[in-house]
Amino acid sequence: MDRFRMIFQYFQSSSESVMNGICGLLALASVKMYTSFDFSCPCLPQYNVVYGLGIMFIPPIILFLCGLILNRQSLVMLEEWRRPAGRRKKDLAVIRYMCSSIMQRAMVAPVVWIVVTLLDGKCLICAFSGSVDPEKFMGFGDVSTVQVQQLLAKVPCKDDELTRNNTSRKAVSRYLRCWSQALGWSILLILIIAAFLARWLRPCFNQATLLQARHWSNYIDIEQKIFEETCCEHSRLFAHKCILHFFESMRQEIKLHSFSLPREGEEPEGEEDLLRGITDQDQVNKLLKTWYYEKPPLDVSQAHQRHPLVQERSPLPCADNARPKGPRCSHC
Amino acid sequence: MDKFRMIFQFFQSNQESFMNGICGIMALASTQMYSAFDFNCPCLPHYNLAYGLGILLVPPFILFLLGFVLNNNISMLAEEWRRPQGQRGKDPSVLRYMFCSMAQRAMIAPAVWLSVTLLDGKCITCAFCTSVPVETLGNASHPGLSQGEIQRVLARIPCKEIYNGQQLIANEVAIRYLRCISQALGWCFVLLMTTLAFLVRSLRPCFSQAAFLKSRYWSHYIDIERKLFDETCAEHARSFAKVCIQQFFEGMSTDLVAAHCHLPRKAPADAGEAAEKLLGITDQGTMNMALKSWHRCKPPLNLHPPAFPTGNGWAGEGQPPTHPSAPRRETAAYYSWV
């Protein structure tokens, strides 16, 4: 039991590490998605560009949106942004901090996809094989323009009958892959330097504001979690009281309708009467039927004296407190 | 016992994460199903379309229904929807919330199947191979083939071993073309679904947050109330059975005492627990009679029996007890999960 409580408390206290975990999982998922995706360039003049650039840019958008959806903090931030001010002022610095941390985490998986794509090279080869200058390569000089375009478009497809064992195809392919990998490594280097600088130079600017913003964003997150848990706990207790109350009112009704003499062998006060006065088949049937046809009102204020834990101050929105004047479900 | 209670409470309080877990498992199951499925294109003109579109659209429908079936809350929703109003008003926003959250979770596995199918490309290749634009990709002017024959040749594109239309249109070219279209459709579908999910999730706090909190609270409440009621009824049934059986044995021993004209055997004050548990039945013949009577003539479902049991004992109405002061020994133990 202690272990579960510890795990619960761990998650409550470090929502940031949970977010980091999700972010890492998405990055791994994006690599896995790329390796399991069967890239097949159409090798047709206009389709190549669309396909290549599409594969390079659409999955990152999807991963970015997934990163935003899976991050619980984005909902918390939106709620904080849109709530009425009420009695608690809104601090824009906190909202900005949350927004930037969410965006940073959501950008990791798309960047991983783009970098992996560039380092692998297939996308760029597919997209830009038609834009290569054929003069630079042997084997394309003596063919008409249209045919050159067709040939170039077929460069990404190794197994095509036109390009099998074609050395100029391999040359173009190597050339494009070289560009692609250079671009990939450059982007990676720039991003790592930017991340390094941002992290290193941050304490030089506004450290106090940053600490405050981080504290309050954590607070808002924890407060919301605890509110949800309290609501769950409350609804459990509420349901418990409501059901006990229902059984009690059933017992009263049975006492009213049966003509039995007052019993003398009552239970001593200390022992719980589990049977709650329902002691034969018809009473049980009546109870079950009443439970279905007429659920009790959502109001346990009459149980207040016996069960001081429940303090129901006002009738709840779903409640219909009035006792029915119409026909009750009659005894079968 | 404590550990189970903690787990139970954890799941009760995190009902949504439990449902999310099931939903994730179904998504993985649908990927597994697709990779385990042996796709076999018929390579005949009209059958291709039916087969391809069938594999594309029928399993998602099945997965969607399965998502509803596996969700425990569907019966709760139906019950809440159909119950008579009684003393408690019905809130349509709660019903809408429950239905929406169930439908959203049930849609994930079908969406995964559709994306995986489209990204893989076999279904679309099979379904639309006869619609390949031969004019642009191949030699439409190839002599001697009527429309029907061209259709038949094109229909064999997915089956490389029996394809005989290499002069009409190269097999790899056609397959690459179809697969490109299929993957483009797949990625667009995934993008659309993700955008929709993002919009649904992010627009909600902007508009109806208070109503959402209310609906979520009451839908949890209804679920918990139902579970607690079932538990309370189970407890009650247990106590009922215990007391009923005890009264049966007591009734038996009273009968035997009356029938055999034995002096009532008073258990001595210091007899201890064992003698009490024997409930007055202390020899083989008596026990056999008790067992026979239990089978032939079960006691009435009525814990206020009259002094002499009458007939077969299914109580029609609640009979007023004739001996209100007859001692009622209710020794039901308290097993409560609540």
Side-chain angles (χ1 to χ4, degrees):
Chain A
M1 176 137 126
D2 261 351
R3 228 184 324 166
F4 285 113
R5 192 174 295 170
M6 269 173 54
I7 294 178
F8 233 174
Q9 282 177 355
Y10 171 74
F11 277 126
Q12 273 188 354
S13 65
S14 34
S15 60
E16 283 212 1
S17 49
V18 171
M19 298 303 144
N20 287 344
I22 291 186
C23 163
L25 276 175
L26 260 186
L28 283 176
S30 93
V31 174
K32 183 87 180 105
M33 247 166 68
Y34 184 78
T35 48
S36 58
F37 176 64
D38 187 14
F39 187 91
S40 86
C41 195
C43 294
L44 298 163
Q46 283 92 21
Y47 288 70
N48 275 4
V49 181
V50 176
Y51 186 82
L53 292 181
I55 298 295
M56 202 153 91
F57 291 119
I58 291 186
I61 297 178
I62 293 172
L63 288 166
F64 180 71
L65 290 176
C66 272
L68 290 180
I69 291 173
L70 292 177
N71 196 339
R72 230 188 118 266
Q73 239 191 3
S74 57
L75 268 184
V76 171
M77 181 203 80
L78 273 175
E79 277 172 32
E80 174 67 15
W81 182 38
R82 300 295 302 174
R83 69 172 172 93
R87 304 216 301 225
R88 185 191 286 189
K89 284 200 305 261
K90 280 200 272 198
D91 189 357
L92 282 178
V94 171
I95 297 178
R96 268 199 310 266
Y97 173 84
M98 285 168 84
C99 192
S100 78
S101 92
I102 291 168
M103 290 290 167
Q104 281 168 28
R105 288 197 176 88
M107 294 272 251
V108 172
V111 163
V112 167
W113 175 279
I114 291 180
V115 167
V116 167
T117 307
L118 287 172
L119 291 180
D120 190 30
K122 288 192 286 226
C123 271
L124 235 64
I125 296 177
C126 183
F128 293 112
S129 68
S131 331
V132 164
D133 185 9
E135 306 295 320
K136 289 194 188 147
F137 303 94
M138 299 186 316
F140 291 117
D142 50 348
V143 197
S144 73
T145 323
V146 174
Q147 281 195 325
V148 157
Q149 282 301 307
Q150 296 264 350
L151 267 179
L152 282 175
K154 290 204 192 299
V155 159
C157 300
K158 300 192 181 84
D159 301 326
D160 196 86
E161 51 196 354
L162 289 175
T163 58
R164 217 171 284 157
N165 296 329
N166 189 336
T167 43
S168 359
R169 179 200 70 82
K170 290 183 193 163
V172 173
S173 178
R174 272 199 307 267
Y175 174 77
L176 285 169
R177 181 172 283 152
C178 157
W179 269 106
S180 167
Q181 289 180 343
L183 200 59
W185 284 117
S186 317
I187 288 182
L188 195 56
L189 183 67
I190 291 174
L191 284 174
I192 298 264
I193 290 180
F196 172 75
L197 283 176
R199 210 147 153 108
W200 206 45
L201 294 178
R202 197 197 275 166
C204 303
F205 303 100
N206 284 338
Q207 180 68 353
T209 321
L210 180 74
L211 285 176
Q212 274 181 9
R214 192 164 69 182
H215 175 268
W216 289 114
S217 76
N218 211 18
Y219 170 81
I220 292 172
D221 193 22
I222 289 181
E223 188 188 49
Q224 214 214 25
K225 273 193 207 126
I226 292 185
F227 180 74
E228 282 171 19
E229 281 170 26
T230 312
C231 279
C232 280
E233 201 42 50
H234 181 270
S235 69
R236 245 179 36 94
L237 286 173
F238 195 93
H240 188 195
K241 298 299 175 263
C242 201
I243 289 170
L244 287 181
H245 197 200
F246 174 73
F247 271 85
E248 193 51 43
S249 65
M250 274 279 109
R251 185 207 290 225
Q252 308 284 355
E253 216 181 283
I254 286 166
K255 270 197 193 140
L256 276 176
H257 287 159
S258 71
F259 298 103
S260 56
L261 298 168
R263 307 192 53 79
E264 276 143 34
E266 291 293 349
E267 269 47 53
E269 264 315 313
E271 202 177 299
E272 276 267 350
D273 180 12
L274 272 194
L275 286 173
R276 300 189 177 100
I278 315 283
T279 49
D280 81 27
Q281 186 190 18
D282 296 313
Q283 291 169 5
V284 172
N285 286 342
K286 179 170 189 235
L287 180 138
L288 293 172
K289 210 174 204 180
T290 313
W291 179 255
Y292 176 68
Y293 277 104
E294 292 185 26
K295 279 218 163 63
L298 288 167
D299 181 358
V300 296
S301 49
Q302 286 97 356
H304 176 77
Q305 296 93 20
R306 277 178 66 201
H307 303 281
L309 281 175
V310 176
Q311 311 271 350
E312 287 310 311
R313 289 168 294 280
S314 54
L316 294 130
C318 277
D320 183 7
N321 284 342
R323 304 289 290 184
K325 313 283 188 302
R328 298 279 305 261
C329 163
S330 59
H331 184 80
C332 56
Chain B
M1 223 11 139
D2 252 358
K3 228 195 309 184
F4 286 118
R5 188 185 298 193
M6 273 293 305
I7 295 179
F8 199 44
Q9 278 179 0
F10 175 74
F11 277 133
Q12 271 190 347
S13 67
N14 284 25
Q15 186 202 40
E16 293 213 352
S17 58
F18 185 60
M19 285 300 136
N20 287 346
I22 290 201
C23 163
I25 288 178
M26 273 194 64
L28 283 176
S30 92
T31 327
Q32 244 339 84
M33 248 168 69
Y34 182 77
S35 44
F37 176 66
D38 187 16
F39 189 88
N40 226 333
C41 195
C43 295
L44 296 164
H46 301 288
Y47 289 67
N48 275 3
L49 188 67
Y51 186 82
L53 288 184
I55 300 294
L56 187 67
L57 298 173
V58 171
F61 185 65
I62 295 174
L63 287 168
F64 183 68
L65 290 179
L66 200 62
F68 272 110
V69 163
L70 289 181
N71 196 335
N72 292 336
N73 294 346
I74 186 81
S75 57
M76 179 176 83
L77 172 66
E79 207 181 288
E80 176 65 15
W81 183 36
R82 299 297 302 167
R83 71 171 171 92
Q85 189 122 345
Q87 296 179 35
R88 185 190 289 187
K90 279 204 271 197
D91 192 355
S93 70
V94 173
L95 292 170
R96 265 199 312 265
Y97 170 82
M98 282 161 64
F99 181 72
C100 283
S101 81
M102 269 192 269
Q104 280 170 21
R105 286 193 177 89
M107 289 230 265
I108 291 190
V112 168
W113 176 278
L114 275 171
S115 338
V116 169
T117 308
L118 287 172
L119 290 178
D120 190 34
K122 288 193 285 230
C123 273
I124 297 284
T125 308
C126 183
F128 294 108
C129 54
T130 47
S131 327
V132 167
V134 185
E135 307 81 32
T136 43
L137 299 177
N139 316 329
S141 51
H142 188 75
L145 288 176
S146 68
Q147 265 309 98
E149 285 210 14
I150 291 182
Q151 290 290 304
R152 268 198 295 276
V153 167
L154 287 178
R156 294 203 194 106
I157 287 176
C159 305
K160 295 195 181 79
E161 315 85 45
I162 59 173
Y163 185 63
N164 56 356
Q166 207 62 13
Q167 293 82 22
L168 183 61
I169 178 171
N171 190 285
E172 303 85 36
V173 171
I175 288 190
R176 274 199 308 260
Y177 176 80
L178 289 165
R179 188 182 282 168
C180 157
I181 303 268
S182 171
Q183 288 179 343
L185 275 175
W187 283 119
C188 290
F189 175 74
V190 176
L191 182 66
L192 186 70
M193 288 286 118
T194 316
T195 311
L196 268 176
F198 174 72
L199 283 176
V200 163
R201 206 160 146 98
S202 57
L203 289 183
R204 199 237 308 134
C206 300
F207 293 109
S208 50
Q209 183 68 356
F212 167 76
L213 285 175
K214 186 180 90 160
S215 314
R216 190 172 66 175
Y217 179 86
W218 288 113
S219 85
H220 280 174
Y221 172 82
I222 291 172
D223 185 37
I224 288 179
E225 188 189 49
R226 193 177 69 139
K227 287 192 187 112
L228 282 180
F229 182 75
D230 287 342
E231 279 173 26
T232 314
C233 283
E235 267 178 37
H236 185 272
R238 200 191 164 91
S239 313
F240 198 103
K242 194 157 182 134
V243 173
C244 195
I245 291 170
Q246 215 156 45
Q247 288 182 351
F248 168 73
F249 272 100
E250 277 168 15
M252 268 284 104
S253 88
T254 321
D255 278 353
L256 288 170
V257 158
H260 292 136
C261 306
H262 286 171
L263 292 170
R265 235 206 238 163
K266 285 203 180 61
D270 54 346
E273 243 178 73
E276 263 198 26
K277 283 207 175 131
L278 286 177
L279 298 169
I281 298 183
T282 45
D283 65 81
Q284 187 188 23
T286 322
M287 191 66 216
N288 286 344
M289 231 158 60
L291 292 171
K292 210 187 255 183
S293 173
W294 178 254
H295 173 66
R296 290 237 181 93
C297 173
K298 278 214 161 70
L301 284 168
N302 185 338
L303 300 183
H304 304 275
F308 301 102
T310 54
N312 209 12
W314 281 109
E317 298 83 29
Q319 299 161 12
T322 51
H323 289 264
S325 55
R328 203 167 52 137
R329 225 175 80 203
E330 295 185 1
T331 55
Y334 185 78
Y335 300 99
S336 173
W337 275 61
V338 175

